[in-house]
Each structure stands twice: as C-alpha cells, then as structure tokens.
Amino acid sequence: MKFMKLGSRPDTFYTTEAVRSVSSEVSSDLIIQVKGSRYLLHKFPLLSKCLRLQRLSSESPESSQHQMVQLADFPGGVEAFELCAKFCYGITITVSAYNIVAARCAAEYLQMTEDVEKGNLIYKLEVFFNSCILHGWKDSIVTLQSTKAYPMWSEDLAITSRCIEAIASKVLSHPSKVSLSHSYSRRGRDDMSCNGAESMRHKPESKGWWGEDIAELGIDLYWRTMIAIKSGGKTPSHLLGDALKIYASRWLPNISRDGFVSKQAGSDSDSETTCELTSKHRLLLESIISLLPVEKGAVSSSFLLKLLKAANILNASSSSKMELARRVGLQLEEARVSDLLIPSLSHSNDTLYDVDMVMIILEQFLLQGQSPPTSPPRSKLGFERRRSRSAENIDFEFQESRRSSSASHSSKLKVAKIVDGYLQEIARDMNLPLSKFIAIAEAIPDFARLDHDDLYRAIDIYLKTHPDLNKSERKRLCRILDCKKLSMEACMHAAQNELLPLRVVVQVLFFEQARAAMAGGKVTELPSNLKALLATQGIDPSRPPAPLSTTTTIPAEDQWSVSGLKSPKSRMSTLRMKLAEDDDLDDNDMHPDGINRNSRLKALCALPTRPKRMFSKLWSINRSASEKN
C-alpha cells in the first residue's frame, strides 16, 4: 500500500479538558468548533493556507482574546480537520488510500488552493492521487470504497469516477501489466513509499483474478465498476459471469423457504429490521440480474436458478423473474432437477414448488430451435439473399442449419430426462393439482422421450401420494403414458399396479405378452388378431422391439422389484377382478381436442373372442417358446 508523508515537525497536539491545543510559545487566538470538538489554535498558520477560514474569521465578531469559528458541516470529521491543521503547522502527516478521500474533501472545504499559497494541500493530494493511488490496484479499490462515506463530495471532485476508470483499465489490460497483488483484502498490508518499488511476489494467476477483489465494493460502486468493465468490450462474458457469481455468494444472504433473511455480511447494522434487509437484498439481487452478460452460457443454469429462487423469496420484480426464466430456458439442458425445485411462496396455493415458473422456463426453452432439421429457413427475403451468393456459401448455410437443429434435438432429449425427474419430485406434493402435473408432462414433445419409464415412475408416485383421485382423473393422468415405450421391468410393475386404470393394465399386459412372444425367437408367425392390434399401435410384428432401460436414480421405496412377481395365473386373476369391476369406461369422457379417447382403447382391447381365450393363447405361446429353449 502506497503512502505519502508531508511536513517535518513533530506532533505537538494535545488534549486538555476536552479541548485540543498545540504546544507553542505564542498564545492561541482562534477557537474552531468541529462537530462537537473544540480546537484552540492560531490564526496565522491556518488563515495563511485556508481561504475559507479567512472569510469566516472576517465575518465573525472578535472577542477580547479568542475568535470563534463554527464548522458544523465539515466533511471527514475531526480526523480530517486535524490532518489539515497539522499540515498548516508543518507537522508530519501520512496520507494513504485509507484517508486521502477524507483529506481531499476537507482540503476542498477549507479551500486550501494554490491561489492562497503555492504548494498547498490540494495540489499535493492531487499529485499523490494521480501518480500513485490511481496506478495501484489495491489503492484504487480501497480509495473507491472510502468514497462511500462522502458520496456527494467524491462525485463533485471526480474521485469516484477516476477510481472506477483506473480499476476498469487494469481489468482490461493484460494481467502481467498489473503490478499489484491478488486478493488484497486477504493479505497483510505491505506499506511502501510512493517512490518505492511495489512487491512483485504475488502475481495475478488467472484471467479472472479481479473478481474476488472488487467483490468487496458496495452494490452501487460495484455496479458502476462492472458497467465500465463491460463497456470496454475486451473481457470475455464467462469472466464477467464468474465475477458476478463471486459477488452474489459474498453479499446475498442465506434465505430460508419461509422468507427469513439472515443477517450476515450484507447488513451494516444490527438495528436494521427484516423488512429493511429484505429491501436491501432485493435491490442487490436486481442489480446483479441487470449485470448478467447477454451471451448464452456466460453463467451456469445452476447459478441462474439460484438467483431465481432468491428472487421468489425476496419478492423481486416480475421483470427480473422473467429475465431469469428466459435465460434459464436458453440453457435448460444444463440444469439439474434439484435446481428446478423453486420454493413457492404464493398465497393463492399451498404447493411446495413454483410449478408455474418451471412451465414458463419450459416454454422459453421450446421457443428456440424451431427451424426444420433438414433444410435452412425458407423466406422470400432469404431466397433473394441466397441468389446473390455462391454455391459454397449456400452449402455452408445448409450445413450450419442442420448442425444447429441437431444440437437443439439433442438438448430436447436431455431436457425430457430432466423434466421426468422433476415430475417425480413434485409428484410427492399432496397439494399439487393434477392439471399442473399433466401440463408439465405434456410440454415435452413426444419424440424427446425415448422411453416412458421415468414418466411412469412419476405417475406411480403421484397416484400413491393422491389416493383420492377418482376413476376419471386417474384415466386422464395415464393418457400421457405410452405403454409401447415401457421397458420389460416397467411393464411387470405396471401389470400388477392396482392404482392404474383398467385400460392401462390391459394395454400393458397385451404389449408385455406380444413382446415376450416375439422375443422367444421360435415363433415365426403371430395370430392375425395380434397382428392387427400391433399394427393399430404402429408396431412391426416382424421386428422385435429392443428392450428399453432407464438411467434415473430414484429412492429405494420407489424402485421396482422384479422379485416375487405374481404367477401367470395370479396375474390373470388380477385382470379378471379388474374386468369384474364397474365396467363403466366413461364413454362420455372426451379429450380436450374433442376426440373420444375410449374409441382407440376399445379398438385396442376389442378381442375377436373372449379375453380369457386370447390371454390363454398368449401364455401358451410363451410357455411353448420357453420349453423349446
């Protein structure tokens, strides 16, 4: 840390009965009152360097011995005034980044200019500030921090703006050109004179070395500094994102789900109420959001979702929430299920998580990558533009379009797995409406789900958590499930799941037996009625489907066990009991698009003979195939 010494005389100030005086053979003739403190000094050394004291002294009446001057609004307090007074007496003073702002404001207040005396305090402070303070990394940050105590004075004297410009210029320059240590706040002060060479032991080791240091600034100064750095246009967006992440972790509090904000580094006073702290942290959060780089991937989805959770709890503006949701949607494939579990604090419902916000994120995700996967966008304007280009450029555009569409398709597959995992988590919420669960599940395109095992798990969990669902609601829930995309393990579990509607069990048993028959390898021809049913479901009877596997990790209580499965006879008896139930299949149950869903299911379940004969035939085929093996 650089410093400057002025004056050569020893310090002769002393205190007697709450009055500060200076030892001198000449009797004092001036009393100066500074914010409750009284100084008994001499006119000659002070008035010869302070134009303001000259004017105030001439305006105030003289007493018999001492003349009184009041400095009620003096910037910097008694410490800054005493530093200026000692300079006038020629007493040695030390100026550094920690007190230069107070000294400069005090000197400006006293009008210690060159017009009064050459080599006055303002001139010396400005030379030190420009030649030493602004050239140092640590000094610039410390000085900028100290301007918070004197915001108006610092702005008028351009101290704040010059410090910000100096910091930004060092960030934009190559790290090797910055001759100051990394993380000044975590190292001891290495004081040195202005003319001394600064230690080179601690060199910045990475391109983002500055993020931790400027995180010590308050949000107003930090915001202005980051704007200056961004406007330089030389700092990569991911480094800006890393700096914002450091700052958020430094100042944003630990927030519980009930909205309680813990007091930590962000609070300046223990007397602040919870409401005041929440308002302060809300401003901090919204400022961070406004500084986020526009480039995709500059910050991680996890960090964006953490900000979104904080925005929900701190009741940030809707525009801030929507901006975060839009950014998360652009890179949703990078998110984790735990990141999407955003606490819900809405008074309109008692759900644990904000499902509506996740729906908005999904909509934002699906809005991108809408171009066709096999050809570039076609438009009149685009056609005219392509006509003037060479064939090489046309081919390049075509390849780029296919590449971007392919990446979008891959991201949809990843998001589908994430959403199915998210559905398994929110399905445990007893207050989650069925409509919201279905809306989230149906937001994913059909092609994005290569298998429906994870979706079936979510449905199974929802049925267990909501046992009061009626028959119509259970059928409505299971419409989103495609039994053809269930693995053998999932089919075994679903065939014995008494919570599923009858139609789903019939579908599962049928596809399970058809798959087993084709997997035997010995059966070359299936009965015509089975072929017809397979064809209605888009299955090629000549090609056995490959078994599907799942990769989602789920709790032990929700895992499917293939041990202890019911025997074929027991399974058929289960089906008979279900068929013996109320055979009302709700013929009036219409899909929102107006199509009667029962027609398709009846076509699937309609058998040319009795159901018992059909399933008996399936079992006999399966047994004969296994015996031959």
Side-chain angles (χ1 to χ4, degrees):
M1 187 68 68
K2 299 176 182 179
F3 63 92
M4 175 180 67
K5 287 186 178 293
L6 298 174
S8 57
R9 294 180 55 187
D11 189 357
T12 55
F13 272 69
Y14 65 95
T15 303
T16 303
E17 296 180 356
V19 176
R20 291 284 286 172
S21 305
V22 61
S23 299
S24 176
E25 297 178 357
V26 181
S27 60
S28 59
D29 54 0
L30 182 63
I31 298 176
I32 300 180
Q33 190 82 19
V34 181
K35 293 186 177 181
S37 298
R38 178 171 294 187
Y39 285 85
L40 193 58
L41 304 174
H42 303 84
K43 288 184 180 181
F44 173 73
L46 293 176
L47 271 56
S48 63
K49 290 182 172 61
C50 304
L51 184 60
R52 189 183 188 93
L53 289 180
Q54 292 180 19
R55 180 172 55 81
L56 292 175
S57 180
S58 63
E59 293 174 356
S60 61
E62 294 190 21
S63 61
S64 56
Q65 185 177 1
H66 298 93
Q67 188 172 7
M68 175 73 72
V69 175
Q70 296 279 351
L71 302 178
D73 55 345
F74 192 85
V78 295
E79 294 84 1
F81 172 77
E82 192 163 318
L83 186 144
C84 293
K86 288 179 179 179
F87 173 80
C88 294
Y89 279 99
I91 298 173
T92 302
I93 61 173
T94 301
V95 180
S96 68
Y98 290 98
N99 63 355
I100 189 172
V101 176
R104 180 66 181 85
C105 295
E108 187 70 22
Y109 180 91
L110 294 172
Q111 300 177 7
M112 302 175 71
T113 63
E114 293 296 286
D115 296 336
V116 182
E117 183 178 275
K118 293 298 181 181
N120 213 341
L121 184 57
I122 290 179
Y123 170 77
K124 293 184 181 295
L125 291 176
E126 282 293 327
V127 170
F128 175 66
F129 181 73
N130 292 320
S131 62
C132 292
I133 295 295
L134 295 182
H135 284 196
W137 172 252
K138 295 187 297 184
D139 305 85
S140 298
I141 294 180
V142 171
T143 302
L144 182 59
Q145 281 181 304
S146 62
T147 61
K148 184 178 180 181
Y150 323 99
M152 298 302 298
W153 283 93
S154 300
E155 291 293 343
D156 294 340
L157 299 174
I159 298 175
T160 304
S161 59
R162 285 184 286 174
C163 286
I164 290 174
E165 291 173 3
I167 294 171
S169 66
K170 290 174 179 58
V171 172
L172 296 173
S173 65
H174 193 276
S176 62
K177 297 180 181 179
V178 182
S179 59
L180 294 170
S181 64
H182 167 59
S183 299
Y184 77 91
S185 60
R186 288 159 177 77
R187 304 185 189 276
R189 303 176 190 172
D190 49 344
D191 293 341
M192 58 192 67
S193 65
C194 181
N195 296 328
E198 186 129 11
S199 173
M200 304 290 286
R201 291 178 300 170
H202 306 296
K203 282 290 187 180
E205 298 177 355
S206 64
K207 293 181 179 180
W209 55 271
W210 49 272
E212 187 176 351
D213 288 352
I214 67 171
E216 300 298 323
L217 297 172
I219 185 57
D220 51 346
L221 297 175
Y222 181 84
W223 190 89
R224 293 175 59 181
T225 304
M226 287 294 290
I227 291 295
I229 295 172
K230 292 176 68 175
S231 63
K234 297 181 180 180
T235 307
S237 59
H238 72 277
L239 294 184
L240 296 173
D242 290 343
L244 289 172
K245 186 175 181 179
I246 292 172
Y247 192 82
S249 62
R250 167 70 174 83
W251 290 100
L252 279 180
N254 294 323
I255 307 173
S256 60
R257 188 181 181 276
D258 58 3
F260 175 76
V261 182
S262 64
K263 293 183 179 181
Q264 57 174 45
S267 62
D268 296 329
S269 173
D270 293 337
S271 62
E272 288 181 307
T273 64
T274 301
C275 183
E276 291 172 341
L277 282 174
T278 302
S279 178
K280 178 186 295 185
H281 291 129
R282 186 186 304 119
L283 174 62
L284 173 69
L285 175 65
E286 293 177 350
S287 299
I288 293 175
I289 295 172
S290 70
L291 290 171
L292 290 172
V294 296
E295 292 82 3
K296 177 182 177 181
V299 292
S300 65
S301 293
S302 178
F303 176 60
L304 291 172
L305 285 165
K306 286 178 181 178
L307 292 180
L308 189 52
K309 291 177 182 179
N312 248 22
I313 294 175
L314 294 173
N315 195 24
S317 64
S318 58
S319 59
S320 297
K321 294 180 183 179
M322 289 304 298
E323 176 64 14
L324 288 173
R326 184 187 69 82
R327 290 175 179 271
V328 173
L330 293 177
Q331 50 194 81
L332 182 57
E333 67 274 11
E334 303 171 5
R336 298 173 300 181
V337 173
S338 58
D339 297 329
L340 291 172
L341 299 177
I342 305 171
S344 174
L345 299 176
S346 174
H347 299 290
S348 58
N349 59 72
D350 297 326
T351 57
L352 293 175
Y353 305 111
D354 193 340
V355 180
D356 296 331
M357 184 59 68
V358 174
M359 193 66 200
I360 294 174
I361 293 173
L362 277 173
E363 291 173 356
Q364 294 295 324
F365 168 77
L366 295 172
L367 285 176
Q368 61 174 336
Q370 303 261 345
S371 59
T374 56
S375 63
R378 299 181 180 270
S379 64
K380 182 177 180 181
L381 179 61
F383 176 74
E384 293 175 353
R385 186 183 298 115
R386 287 194 296 272
R387 285 176 57 187
S388 62
R389 295 177 179 175
S390 63
E392 290 80 3
N393 289 339
I394 295 175
D395 183 66
F396 177 76
E397 280 192 0
F398 180 76
Q399 296 298 332
E400 285 297 310
S401 175
R402 294 194 62 176
R403 187 179 295 110
S404 63
S405 299
S406 176
S408 177
H409 178 81
S410 175
S411 64
K412 286 184 173 66
L413 297 180
K414 295 178 182 178
V415 169
K417 299 296 290 183
I418 295 171
V419 170
D420 287 349
Y422 175 75
L423 288 171
Q424 295 176 37
E425 293 296 330
I426 64 174
R428 296 178 171 85
D429 183 3
M430 297 182 61
N431 297 319
L432 178 67
L434 177 63
S435 58
K436 291 190 176 182
F437 182 91
I438 295 176
I440 293 290
E442 292 181 338
I444 300 300
D446 291 338
F447 71 86
R449 284 192 177 98
L450 299 181
D451 65 78
H452 277 216
D453 282 18
D454 291 336
L455 180 60
Y456 171 67
R457 283 193 182 95
I459 293 174
D460 183 52
I461 295 172
Y462 192 89
L463 289 172
K464 291 176 180 177
T465 310
H466 303 78
D468 297 333
L469 292 179
N470 57 39
K471 184 189 299 183
S472 176
E473 290 173 332
R474 286 187 289 123
K475 288 194 294 183
R476 181 184 168 198
L477 172 63
C478 292
R479 282 173 187 159
I480 61 179
L481 188 65
D482 188 350
C483 295
K484 298 190 300 295
K485 293 187 176 182
L486 291 178
S487 66
M488 181 65 71
E489 182 185 10
C491 286
M492 290 180 178
H493 185 278
Q496 303 175 77
N497 193 340
E498 298 180 355
L499 298 175
L500 293 177
L502 172 63
R503 302 176 186 180
V504 178
V505 175
V506 171
Q507 288 185 29
V508 168
L509 285 172
F510 170 76
F511 285 113
E512 181 184 352
Q513 296 306 314
R515 187 188 322 216
M518 289 186 294
K522 301 294 184 178
V523 181
T524 58
E525 192 72 19
L526 290 174
S528 58
N529 58 351
L530 294 185
K531 285 184 177 181
L533 289 173
L534 289 172
T536 61
Q537 298 300 311
I539 300 177
D540 186 358
S542 62
R543 296 179 59 188
L548 300 173
S549 61
T550 58
T551 57
T552 305
T553 302
I554 57 174
E557 63 270 15
D558 295 325
Q559 291 179 355
W560 304 332
S561 174
V562 295
S563 61
L565 288 175
K566 297 179 181 178
S567 64
K569 291 183 179 180
S570 176
R571 192 177 309 177
M572 292 304 298
S573 63
T574 301
L575 179 60
R576 289 195 196 99
M577 286 189 293
K578 283 186 173 288
L579 290 172
E581 292 177 353
D582 182 11
D583 198 25
D584 180 13
L585 296 180
D586 295 336
D587 291 336
N588 296 324
D589 184 16
M590 303 292 291
H591 193 264
D593 59 6
I595 301 175
N596 193 323
R597 297 294 296 262
N598 285 329
S599 60
R600 183 173 62 85
L601 291 172
K602 285 183 177 179
L604 172 66
C605 298
L607 304 176
T609 56
R610 289 174 299 174
K612 182 176 180 180
R613 290 179 58 189
M614 184 263 183
F615 283 101
S616 299
K617 189 172 184 179
L618 288 175
W619 287 117
S620 62
I621 292 174
N622 191 21
R623 283 197 298 270
S624 62
S626 60
E627 289 172 359
K628 290 180 180 180
N629 290 334

